[in-house]
Amino acid sequence: MNPIRQWSRRDFLRALAIALGGVAVAESMRQCLKGIAPIAPEDFTPTAKAYLPLVTRSEPTPTPTPTPTPTPTPTRTPTPTRTPPPGASRVVHVHAPSATYWNGSSNYYYNYVNQSVVNEMVDRGVMALTGTSTRADAWRALIPNYSGGSGGIVAIKVNFNNSQLGNVINALIHPVNAVIRGLLDIGVPAQNIRIYDATRSIPDYFRNGCLYTGVQFYDRDSADFPVAVSFSRPGIPAEYLSSTVVDAAYLINMPIMKGHSITGVTLGFKNHFGTINHPLDLHEYVAPMWGQYYDPNYNPMVDIYLISHIRDKTVLVLGDGLFGSRDNTNSVPTRWTTFGNQFPNSLFFARDPVAADCVMYDLLAAEGCPYAWDEATDYLRLAAAAGLGVYESGDPWGSGYSHIDYVKITVT
């Protein structure tokens, strides 16, 4: 007689989710196994708060940096590794109630964004991040010694996961316009700015909304993938890296603050699934509730970020929370209780990709995102252990953080 197999907690959750149809069941069972009743999304929602004023703190004591996991040698030579500057663990959260004015139903949400307000938000954000007093000085701090047309290509990774789905959440051109404005200030030619999502289509309304001629757009119709990406976990097939980021000297990562029914949240790290050629092949490794190969001690999103073309070229993470998605990655934007029953109207600025995702995750969890499971931050813990930044769970609406220098600014 064969011995009875002892099922793990994860085996039980995955089997039940498959039998009864979905991650919502798995989440309820996860809560029950903790000894509490399943929690409905409404129960997570705190009382609406007034937005906090500007708060600054002295630089925290740096967390010791572990040795990064070795990464494969690319076939092209990347920009030499840059030492993270002081303040690398700062996250600046800029909130502007007048940034958007959509009524939640008519027309398309992306037609109701105030470009001049977003310009000010981006200017204030990069200045607070770099400790400078002008827009140009802030961009010079982020991209030092850029010398006109010879300074190289700046790639901007946007997120068009829902490019074929109408009025659901997608990248907005307005913060991209504000970034381009700053890059032009320091002499980056428009033709050296490349906006890309290598696995999705970039729609015409986004391209046509760009205020600057000469800027280049690259999507799945123009993408090629010249550099192999191997993974530290045996058995994962190699992927290939988009030429847009391979050819760039600098990279700006612009994720959207939103939940995700597979990974829990989809933020700066998962945004680079749009930088490799076959991201769907990796979902079994990044799904905490049902992934066949999910391991809390391994995540391919960390391997991808450790590639020198991404790790060493990224000069800014700019999280788009103007609308965000408090629910799933393919939802129409809705108002957030924690932002006074308004849209978040927020942008997030960081050099530290781990700290940036920590803050956006905490805001999603505070809002009651139904997929903001505890396990959804496994990748952030692993990324911090690999030397990519500071991992901390904090309270962005109250006590803040001890190791992340969280700065809040309101633009009126």
Side-chain angles (χ1 to χ4, degrees):
M1 181 180 296
N2 293 329
I4 297 174
R5 179 175 180 266
Q6 296 298 314
W7 277 35
S8 69
R9 172 174 173 271
R10 188 173 303 283
D11 290 334
F12 180 73
L13 284 173
R14 185 171 184 272
L16 187 63
I18 292 171
L20 297 181
V23 295
V25 174
E27 169 62 2
S28 294
M29 290 305 303
R30 184 175 74 85
Q31 298 290 353
C32 289
L33 288 173
K34 289 183 176 180
I36 60 176
I39 299 174
E42 293 81 11
D43 296 329
F44 281 95
T45 307
T47 303
K49 303 172 179 64
Y51 198 81
L52 299 178
L54 170 62
V55 177
T56 59
R57 290 195 300 276
S58 59
E59 294 295 326
T61 303
T63 301
T65 302
T67 303
T69 304
T71 55
T73 302
T75 58
R76 304 189 191 184
T77 303
T79 303
T81 300
R82 291 183 288 275
T83 301
S89 295
R90 175 173 292 174
V91 178
V92 178
H93 177 180
V94 182
H95 176 250
S98 61
T100 68
Y101 52 100
W102 188 45
N103 64 10
S105 59
S106 63
N107 204 269
Y108 294 100
Y109 68 92
Y110 49 77
N111 290 327
Y112 297 89
V113 181
N114 190 323
Q115 182 68 66
S116 62
V117 173
V118 173
N119 286 346
E120 184 177 357
M121 293 172 73
V122 172
D123 292 350
R124 295 281 297 275
V126 293
M127 287 189 290
L129 179 64
T130 58
T132 54
S133 57
T134 69
R135 177 176 68 241
D137 284 345
W139 285 102
R140 290 189 190 101
L142 292 168
I143 306 179
N145 304 317
Y146 194 96
S147 55
S150 64
I153 292 167
V154 180
I156 301 175
K157 173 61 178 74
V158 293
N159 186 292
F160 273 101
N161 195 58
N162 302 313
S163 57
Q164 305 301 319
L165 297 178
N167 209 27
V168 297
I169 190 69
N170 265 319
L172 293 167
I173 190 61
H174 309 83
V176 177
N177 280 333
V179 167
I180 295 170
R181 177 170 168 257
L183 294 174
L184 295 176
D185 271 0
I186 63 169
V188 180
Q191 63 270 21
N192 279 17
I193 300 171
R194 297 184 179 179
I195 302 165
Y196 81 98
D197 189 332
T199 60
R200 303 291 183 182
S201 296
I202 297 180
D204 287 342
Y205 75 81
F206 184 88
R207 297 172 187 254
N208 295 339
C210 183
L211 299 177
Y212 304 96
T213 59
V215 173
Q216 307 295 304
F217 292 86
Y218 292 82
D219 63 8
R220 67 182 182 185
D221 296 328
S222 54
D224 69 311
F225 302 88
V227 173
V229 177
S230 59
F231 296 91
S232 59
R233 174 62 55 91
I236 303 180
E239 300 286 345
Y240 289 84
L241 197 66
S242 167
S243 61
T244 306
V245 71
V246 172
D247 294 339
Y250 306 95
L251 177 60
I252 296 172
N253 187 14
M254 296 185 66
I256 304 170
M257 181 172 64
K258 55 184 178 175
H260 197 289
S261 60
I262 295 174
T263 56
V265 294
T266 173
L267 304 168
F269 277 75
K270 194 173 183 300
N271 197 32
H272 280 301
F273 270 26
T275 300
I276 58 175
N277 61 330
H278 292 127
L280 292 179
D281 295 347
L282 300 176
H283 279 171
E284 286 280 359
Y285 295 88
V286 298
M289 291 297 113
W290 57 262
Q292 181 178 358
Y293 304 113
Y294 187 80
D295 180 347
N297 296 311
Y298 173 76
N299 198 301
M301 291 191 292
V302 178
D303 274 346
I304 292 169
Y305 218 103
L306 281 168
I307 297 166
S308 57
H309 287 290
I310 294 175
R311 179 194 62 206
D312 299 337
K313 295 179 179 181
T314 301
V315 297
L316 177 65
V317 178
L318 200 171
D320 177 0
L322 291 173
F323 290 99
S325 176
R326 54 181 285 180
D327 300 311
N328 201 357
T329 185
N330 56 357
S331 299
V332 176
T334 56
R335 292 179 172 88
W336 292 40
T337 304
T338 47
F339 284 89
N341 200 35
Q342 300 298 320
F343 296 109
N345 289 304
S346 295
L347 297 174
F348 304 89
F349 302 81
R351 286 160 157 158
D352 180 334
V354 182
D357 276 19
C358 284
V359 170
M360 288 188 282
Y361 168 86
D362 288 338
L363 285 164
L364 283 162
E367 176 62 19
C369 172
Y371 305 108
W373 313 302
D374 292 344
E375 293 87 346
T377 62
D378 285 346
Y379 79 93
L380 293 172
R381 171 178 51 81
L382 297 171
L388 289 172
V390 172
Y391 168 69
E392 183 180 7
S393 176
D395 178 9
W397 287 111
S399 58
Y401 300 85
S402 298
H403 302 291
I404 295 173
D405 184 14
Y406 181 44
V407 178
K408 302 175 185 177
I409 298 173
T410 297
V411 173
T412 58

